[in-house]
Structures are given as structure tokens and as C-alpha cells.
Amino acid sequence: MSRYEFTCPECEQTIEVNESMRDATLTHGCPVCSADVTAADFAAEQRTN
Ligand SMILES: [Zn+2]
């Protein structure tokens, strides 16, 4: 499953999310401060071995 690191542009909280949490955050805003967020606020998490 894809994971993303979300960084809120407003409160600067960094939260690790999965794809469905990413969609929910894009729809409902930051879970901490409810700021509007865009896809650009998510970085795909790279897993290196
Ligand atoms: Zn926030």
C-alpha cells in the first residue's frame, strides 16, 4: 500500500498517511487545524533498503 507524508501548510504538522487517509484529508482538510490542503502537500514515502 502506498504511504504518504503529509505536511500541513498551515500548522506544519507532519503526519504519515495511507491512500484513503490522503483522500480524506484532501476532501476534509488538515485533521489537526482543518486548513485546505492540496495534493502538493503530500510526498510519496520512499522506502529504500
Ligand atoms: Zn494543519
Side-chain angles (χ1 to χ4, degrees):
M1 185 190 289
S2 298
R3 297 191 72 85
Y4 300 88
E5 191 176 271
F6 165 64
T7 304
C8 178
E10 192 66 34
C11 67
E12 297 184 347
Q13 276 286 324
T14 301
I15 304 168
E16 190 178 281
V17 298
N18 63 28
E19 256 181 296
S20 61
M21 288 170 67
R22 176 181 178 273
D23 289 345
T25 304
L26 283 169
T27 302
H28 301 294
C30 173
V32 178
C33 71
S34 300
D36 284 345
V37 304
T38 67
D41 298 315
F42 294 84
E45 201 164 80
Q46 302 294 326
R47 230 172 261 274
T48 51
N49 233 352

